[in-house]
Amino acid sequence: MTRPNAAAGPEELIKIYRTSTLIKQTDESIRGLLRRGRLQANYYSPRGQEIVAAAMAATLQPDDYVVTIYRGLHDHLAKGVPLKALMAEYFGKVDGSCKGKGGCMHITHPEAGVMVTTGIVGSGMPIANGLALASQERKDGRVTVTNFGDGATNIGSFHESMNLASLWKLPVVFLCQNNLFAEHTATELCTAGNIVDRAKGYAMPGILVDGNDPEAMYAAAREAVDRARDGEGPTLIEARTFRFEGHNYGDPSSYIPKEMMAEAKANDPVPKLRALLIERGIATEDEVAKIDADAATEIAEAVTFAQESPYPDVAENLSDVYAHVLENA
Amino acid sequence: MAEITLSQATQQALDEAMAADPTVLVFGEDVADPEGGGIMGSTAGLSTKYGSRVRSTPISEQAIAGAAVGAAIAGMRPVAEIMLMNFITVAMDMIVNHAAKTRFMSGGKTAVPLTIRTMSGAGIGAGGQHSDMYEAWLAHVPGLKVVVPSNAADQKALLKSCIFDDDPCIFVETTYIQFMKGEVPADYEAPLGKAKVSREGTDVSIIGYGRPILDALAVAEKLAAEGISVEVVDLRTVMPWDQETVFKSVAKTKRAVTLHEAVVQFGVGAEISSRIHEELFDTLKAPVQRVGSMNTIVPYSAPLEQNFMWSQDKIEAAIRRTLERK
């Protein structure tokens, strides 16, 4: 069955631009804080992958579930985790989304639908199936999106999860953000065949899309989310994208050919979308400049908030381990 | 009072929990009725009665444990079956990195009220990969609760306690005794973290759980004829274990033996023994003795397997060692 290709209209494109700008600028702010020694964190920049998350989120309802990984800033902001709570969590402060107890690799914010952020490659997918199973049994109409990288498609849980989701027709979208490198190893050196083709083996549709093209990414996401919501089961999306900053902060990414990096940066998807909005008359230069300025203001406020928030009390070490603090712990 | 098997106790606990609470889900390999209702019949009848809330799964332990973690985070009370405890190794990431840590790492925003039922134990000639007791691994992970019942009444009551507990619980059933019968009173309850004094005594305390408790009771009966009075404490919950009951018993008897099926080295008995020494050193009349299985791979050949296992003789010898000092 084919679906009407619900295209991103002007409103959606502006929304995607607003989200991707917030992500891009927040990432730049965090890297600045790390560079100046104001923040110490294991940080995995999503710079370059903004459009994938922003376009996917533009197709989701507020109560839909998202599962993501340690490179998750873009997914968190796109789904609506408040920037102040997110920033305070990066600083390990009590006003963080998880009281400073999870950190940037473990963001949870149920109010925004962000249920799990895992630091273990490939671990989000089996858990996403469970969230989707709960929705299926409750008939609550929610869709679960599980984000992962190209490297995660080689771990067993990817295959186990795709099989189970397809068997049970779970309302889940498997969103592979293929940034062409699994840590330091190029995808073609560690992944046999095409990722999208693996969908066939599990009897589910696979969509290969340019994740940096907001209209194409929106259409792919829309199709997969609608299928899931209509009870037709899971979809695998392979969104091709690129990361500009190496695997983790401080990685010089010497394994990426210089020309490849230069070409990717020349095609930076966020300024490209900005230009497209103006060129098509969807927004004026002043309007996009305001979006840019609003993001900068919001980020500055969040950084101040996070820096001023206190550290959690050390008594927090024994709370939340179990539902009740155990005696003699 | 009618007697039922431990396997039937599991079935009754699941049935009553599912009837009481629509968020209880059951899934695992072969658990639905067309597949036989579980290899021990412990889930028989449930899929017929509860439909999609009971599902047979592929042989995919990561997917099973992960689905339990996700469903629990979403507010359900899943009971996932990992058929044998050795297969938990395949699902360890989901259990150790996710089930156990999610409440803490989310700052209490999400909880994981899941139960994983699994089964294991030596003495059935299943060899090295279907017989291990790994409760010490799991008890060592902050965030998990671990339960090992020794009789039908406790198996039913403790399983229900696990299902309605708000933390992730690993529920270990011992293969060898699943068809043993016992009385199960209708209103019997067993809270997590509470031990049961299965037999009162005054000369020495045996602290254990699971199948070896049956041997401890037999040894206590035998030694009573000699005038040696043995108190048997069935921990039932390995983590958190009931320190109050254990310390009270040992303060009275002044001698203790720890007992479990798993190998002695780095076992649960080491933790209990150490804590008894820390708390009651001045009142002890003898060092705490430990009984468990031999530090080797569970062998196939029957005489080797019997030699590997704990035994009534080994329990008796440990008791006598504590009694050598006056």
Side-chain angles (χ1 to χ4, degrees), chain A residues 97 118 123 136-138 322, chain B residues 52 55 74 93 98 109 144:
Chain A
S97 55
T118 180
S123 285
Q136 190 182 60
E137 281 297 322
R138 287 196 294 234
Y322 295 93
Chain B
S52 66
R55 302 184 187 199
D93 171 47
H98 296 90
K109 292 273 180 68
L144 298 179

Side-chain angles (χ1 to χ4, degrees), chain A residues 65 89 96-99 101-103 106 108-111 115-124 126-131 133-138 142 155-157 160-161 163-164 167-168 170 316-324 326-328, chain B residues 25 27 50 52-53 55-76 90 93-94 97-98 100-110 139 141-145 165-168 239-241 243-244 275:
Chain A
Y65 291 140
E89 189 64 27
S97 55
C98 308
K99 297 194 275 189
K101 297 167 80 167
H106 308 296
T108 295
H109 201 274
E111 300 90 333
M115 305 306 286
V116 173
T117 301
T118 180
I120 312 280
V121 170
S123 285
I127 298 172
N129 276 348
L131 293 163
L133 169 63
S135 292
Q136 190 182 60
E137 281 297 322
R138 287 196 294 234
R142 281 182 168 128
I155 196 167
S157 68
E160 292 193 14
S161 303
N163 182 55
L164 190 73
L167 272 175
W168 289 359
L170 295 174
E316 286 292 344
N317 260 339
L318 289 180
S319 71
D320 305 322
V321 182
Y322 295 93
H324 305 285
L326 298 182
E327 288 171 29
N328 309 307
Chain B
L25 308 176
F27 48 86
Y50 299 103
S52 66
R53 288 170 62 197
R55 302 184 187 199
S56 287
T57 63
I59 301 171
S60 305
E61 279 80 10
Q62 288 189 78
I64 295 166
V69 171
I73 287 173
M76 310 301 268
V90 181
D93 171 47
M94 286 298 135
N97 287 317
H98 296 90
K101 296 177 183 171
T102 291
R103 177 189 288 277
F104 184 89
M105 294 202 310
S106 71
K109 292 273 180 68
T110 53
V141 179
L144 298 179
K145 290 177 178 171
D165 192 80
D166 289 333
D167 293 316
M239 179 62 213
W241 60 279
Q243 301 189 11
E244 189 183 346
R275 293 286 292 125

Side-chain angles (χ1 to χ4, degrees), chain B residues 130-168:
Chain B
H130 290 69
S131 311
D132 282 306
M133 291 293 284
Y134 288 140
E135 71 276 9
W137 287 12
L138 298 159
H140 194 66
V141 179
L144 298 179
K145 290 177 178 171
V146 184
V147 175
V148 189
S150 68
N151 57 71
D154 282 338
Q155 185 145 315
K156 179 176 176 182
L158 288 165
L159 178 53
K160 285 169 82 173
S161 292
C162 286
I163 293 169
F164 293 109
D165 192 80
D166 289 333
D167 293 316

Side-chain angles (χ1 to χ4, degrees), chain B residues 13-46:
Chain B
L14 293 172
D15 191 4
E16 289 172 21
M18 294 195 84
D21 185 343
T23 69
V24 177
L25 308 176
V26 169
F27 48 86
E29 294 156 19
D30 303 336
V31 301
D33 290 331
E35 290 74 55
I39 54 167
M40 291 295 208
S42 305
T43 51
L46 298 177

